[in-house]
Amino acid sequence: MKQLFLAVASLLFSAISAHPSKVATGPFLTQVDNTTWILGNDIWNVTQQQTYGVELMYKGKNCVGEAAGHYVSYNGAASNLEWTSASITKRGTYKGKSYIDVSFTAAEGDMHWVIFSSLSGAYQYFVNHALPTLGEFRTLWRLDNTTFTKGRTNIKDEELPPLDEYLSQNKVQDETWLKPDGSGYITKYDFTAWSRNQDYFGVYGDGFGSWYINPGKDYYNGDHLKQELMVHRESSTGDVVQLNMIHGTHFMASSSDVFPDGKMWGPWLWYLNDGDKQDAAKRATEEFSAWPYTWLDDKDYHSRGVLKGKIVLSDGRPASNAVVFLGDNKPNKTSLDMGSTYYYTEYADKNGNFEFSDVRSATYGLQAWSNGSSIADVTTSFLQNDVTVKKSAKTNLGTLTWEVSSKKKLFQIGDFDRYSYGFLHGGAPHQHALVASCPANLIYTIGLSEPSDWCFGQTYKGNWTVLFNAATPSKSAAPNLIVSLAGYSSGSSINILVNGVQIGNMTSGSSLLPSDPCLYRSATGAGEWHLLEYSFDKDLLKTGENELTFNMVRNTTWHGFMWDSVVLEW
């Protein structure tokens, strides 16, 4: 059936190509039958069937080849959207360029392609009408693997692994294989990157490049720590995958969001070129400068304002370089798990000043937390609800006070910033099984050891011991251990002991410690952040040397605990 549709579409495309002055001058949409359409302009065109865009013609070549093509899906590949109709919803001219807005309609919502004359690619956006409660929602291209041989994100740029290295007998877990020569692993998760840091990403080869440029990221779920898989090779077919995870869950403990009717993801630019990364970078700079896009005819999209303020700590210090997040008002989930509406991320300057521009008008909750540096010791977070941003208005919240702990700190290991940065291997390039290079047993001496002596993750049965000195506490002192985890992958359990006496446990299945896939999916910087506190009897401490022990009593290969910071205070 696919071959029949392609034959019909190919004949129509041949007619369009043969008579461009009569049929295809500038952007167009042509209906072949009830479930097949061709859209594009004089540079490229896509043959779209009920689910898949099965053919992409560019520079005289079908860039899809034997691959699946373009589609939109949610909850993995479990639910692909099926298009029931397509129409041109708007025609216009912007800066001398004509364009059409093509809408493909499905039961769940509308997928738009905004096609400009002489644009090598198209802007895309999706408007929700009936998506179910979900975690994962994506658009993607699966492209010809002989044309597109390399993948690029802002932190990784290299050849995709050859398909003949994906040997079934060498598969060790989800989309992960031992290389045939035993030198390491192949896994799609090595092409993970921070979602909100992307300039442009995609796949390319000799003479061809397909890129996603997402300048406005307010439609993404999650906060600064949101990371996603960007490109990879489909192991079962060899297709090269350009993955636009507009609502992703690959490194989260949970994500279950309900979307209002009219929630818009995008627009972003899908861009074609000859594989020139400098050209793609130049185009990305132009797109970031042009966002929010003035050509988009949507009043809610353009209802935006500015929010600014200053945060100071209750001890008088400015909240220097703090992470600042604008998310759900009166939140009932973590900032990483938020995803129903629109979200904004910034950083304060050295004086604690922050500013969000082009914020959709709504009421938000404003959060802040330490990003390390001069406030790396701050273990608390900041939240102010009922922050309203109005259309075309500049809202100044003035000076906000962030309450910090007044307790005396005995010691701290690692910056409090929700990342594993500073520890051995913390923030290293994404690599499967890197946590296996961390030791089973470790001794860390306060005052002598450095953070780099502490490994970023603990995965083996054994003891990680902290040696520290303590003076005799006062009668009113109550020791409090704070454990900040950058991530946790299930199947592991740690008993926490002070001078041989257990004061707590961190384990799978606990409501306080939901699991995320960080450690077994190549993450090295963060997964989902967890904050745990354990108070204990002061009589367990003694004058002189004391021991704090993290005794892993149960483990699973490549699973375990990714560390952010350990603090003892009273």
Side-chain angles (χ1 to χ4, degrees):
M1 184 62 72
K2 178 178 178 180
Q3 286 74 18
L4 176 61
F5 276 132
L6 285 173
V8 173
S10 179
L11 287 172
L12 180 58
F13 175 64
S14 297
I16 291 172
S17 300
H19 305 284
S21 61
K22 295 180 180 180
V23 182
T25 54
F28 68 91
L29 171 70
T30 302
Q31 185 158 350
V32 178
D33 57 33
N34 288 338
T35 57
T36 307
W37 305 264
I38 301 178
L39 68 158
N41 59 21
D42 299 337
I43 301 172
W44 63 273
N45 67 81
V46 169
T47 301
Q48 176 68 56
Q49 293 182 359
Q50 189 170 19
T51 299
Y52 297 98
V54 294
E55 185 174 276
L56 165 61
M57 295 302 302
Y58 176 58
K59 296 169 61 176
K61 183 182 182 67
N62 178 11
C63 295
V64 169
E66 297 301 315
H70 184 274
Y71 59 105
V72 180
S73 68
Y74 58 91
N75 292 336
S79 301
N80 296 331
L81 270 60
E82 296 186 353
W83 313 117
T84 57
S85 64
S87 62
I88 297 174
T89 60
K90 183 177 176 59
R91 297 179 183 269
T93 301
Y94 182 77
K95 293 187 176 180
K97 304 289 187 181
S98 62
Y99 71 89
I100 59 173
D101 188 331
V102 177
S103 175
F104 285 89
T105 298
E108 296 88 349
D110 303 322
M111 180 69 185
H112 290 255
W113 300 62
V114 180
I115 306 169
F116 279 81
S117 60
S118 72
L119 174 60
S120 185
Y123 295 95
Q124 298 177 316
Y125 65 97
F126 184 88
V127 179
N128 171 62
H129 293 307
L131 279 170
T133 302
L134 57 75
E136 183 176 282
F137 183 48
R138 62 189 187 168
T139 75
L140 65 156
W141 281 100
R142 286 171 56 172
L143 297 168
D144 177 57
N145 60 21
T146 63
T147 304
F148 302 92
T149 59
K150 301 176 183 178
R152 191 267 180 196
T153 72
N154 69 318
I155 59 175
K156 190 177 183 71
D157 182 1
E158 62 184 45
E159 292 277 347
L160 295 169
L163 184 60
D164 61 11
E165 291 192 358
Y166 292 72
L167 302 179
S168 58
Q169 65 268 28
N170 288 348
K171 190 170 186 178
V172 296
Q173 65 162 39
D174 167 37
E175 292 300 304
T176 306
W177 293 261
L178 182 67
K179 289 183 178 181
D181 64 3
S183 63
Y185 296 93
I186 301 168
T187 176
K188 67 181 183 180
Y189 299 110
D190 282 356
F191 272 96
T192 295
W194 305 106
S195 299
R196 294 179 180 270
N197 293 351
Q198 288 308 302
D199 45 10
Y200 65 98
F201 67 97
V203 293
Y204 67 102
D206 186 15
F208 293 87
S210 179
W211 312 99
Y212 279 130
I213 301 172
N214 304 64
K217 298 176 172 62
D218 55 355
Y219 47 84
Y220 283 166
N221 58 321
D223 57 22
H224 307 62
L225 286 87
K226 184 70 175 63
Q227 56 189 318
E228 267 305 334
L229 178 61
M230 300 288 173
V231 299
H232 67 93
R233 183 183 298 284
E234 170 56 48
S235 61
S236 61
T237 63
D239 294 359
V240 170
V241 182
Q242 182 184 357
L243 192 57
N244 189 29
M245 296 298 305
I246 51 180
H247 194 281
T249 63
H250 276 106
F251 294 87
M252 297 168 60
S254 64
S255 181
S256 181
D257 293 312
V258 178
F259 308 110
D261 187 7
K263 162 73 187 274
M264 178 189 291
W265 285 269
W268 59 85
L269 176 63
W270 163 61
Y271 184 60
L272 290 165
N273 71 1
D274 62 359
D276 184 346
K277 289 177 287 186
Q278 288 185 334
D279 172 69
K282 180 176 180 293
R283 186 74 200 205
T285 299
E286 294 170 357
E287 297 302 321
F288 276 72
S289 297
W291 184 86
Y293 295 121
T294 54
W295 49 260
L296 183 63
D297 185 14
D298 184 281
K299 65 178 183 179
D300 291 334
Y301 176 82
H302 294 294
S303 180
R304 298 175 183 267
V306 174
L307 178 71
K308 61 187 298 186
K310 179 177 183 178
I311 305 177
V312 298
L313 307 182
S314 57
D315 61 13
R317 290 180 290 166
S320 299
N321 306 310
V323 175
V324 191
F325 174 73
L326 204 56
D328 292 347
N329 190 41
K330 300 177 181 177
N332 59 5
K333 51 177 74 173
T334 69
S335 54
L336 185 64
D337 292 344
M338 295 179 191
S340 293
T341 56
Y342 304 97
Y343 304 91
Y344 300 87
T345 56
E346 285 292 348
Y347 295 91
D349 66 15
K350 64 179 182 179
N351 297 313
N353 298 300
F354 65 89
E355 181 172 322
F356 294 92
S357 58
D358 297 311
V359 176
R360 281 180 176 251
S361 54
T363 299
Y364 297 91
L366 177 72
Q367 298 190 41
W369 58 87
S370 168
N371 192 37
S373 65
S374 64
I375 60 169
D377 61 308
V378 176
T379 59
T380 61
S381 302
F382 174 85
L383 170 64
Q384 178 158 320
N385 289 310
D386 301 318
V387 174
T388 299
V389 177
K390 297 180 179 179
K391 179 182 179 180
S392 303
K394 293 184 178 181
T395 302
N396 191 339
L397 298 177
T399 300
L400 307 171
T401 302
W402 173 354
E403 291 294 329
V404 299
S405 174
S406 59
K407 295 179 180 179
K408 179 181 177 181
K409 190 166 295 181
L410 276 74
F411 67 80
Q412 177 172 349
I413 304 173
D415 287 0
F416 216 90
D417 58 8
R418 306 190 181 184
Y419 292 102
S420 66
Y421 298 162
F423 298 139
L424 181 63
H425 304 311
H430 291 80
Q431 178 183 331
H432 176 69
L434 184 60
V435 71
S437 64
C438 292
N441 297 287
L442 182 152
I443 296 177
Y444 189 98
T445 304
I446 299 300
L448 296 178
S449 300
E450 299 292 335
S452 58
D453 296 322
W454 188 272
C455 208
F456 84 110
Q458 185 174 357
T459 188
Y460 296 116
K461 289 182 180 179
N463 294 318
W464 285 25
T465 302
V466 181
L467 303 179
F468 64 98
N469 286 304
T472 304
S474 65
K475 293 181 179 180
S476 61
N480 185 50
L481 176 67
I482 300 173
V483 178
S484 181
L485 296 174
Y488 168 70
S489 296
S490 65
S492 302
S493 181
I494 281 180
N495 290 331
I496 305 172
L497 303 96
V498 172
N499 292 326
V501 178
Q502 184 171 336
I503 64 166
N505 172 267
M506 302 187 295
T507 194
S508 301
S510 167
S511 61
L512 296 176
L513 198 56
S515 171
D516 68 72
C518 63
L519 283 176
Y520 62 86
R521 282 187 171 175
S522 300
T524 64
E528 181 131 3
W529 176 66
H530 307 283
L531 180 66
L532 305 170
E533 296 190 53
Y534 304 90
S535 294
F536 58 92
D537 191 329
K538 61 181 176 60
D539 291 336
L540 290 180
L541 292 180
K542 57 187 179 181
T543 300
E545 187 174 86
N546 294 265
E547 292 186 2
L548 168 67
T549 304
F550 295 96
N551 171 221
M552 183 172 281
V553 294
R554 179 163 58 93
N555 75 314
T556 300
T557 303
W558 306 319
H559 293 223
F561 301 82
M562 186 184 292
W563 297 98
D564 167 30
S565 188
V566 178
V567 176
L568 183 61
E569 62 181 13
W570 61 36

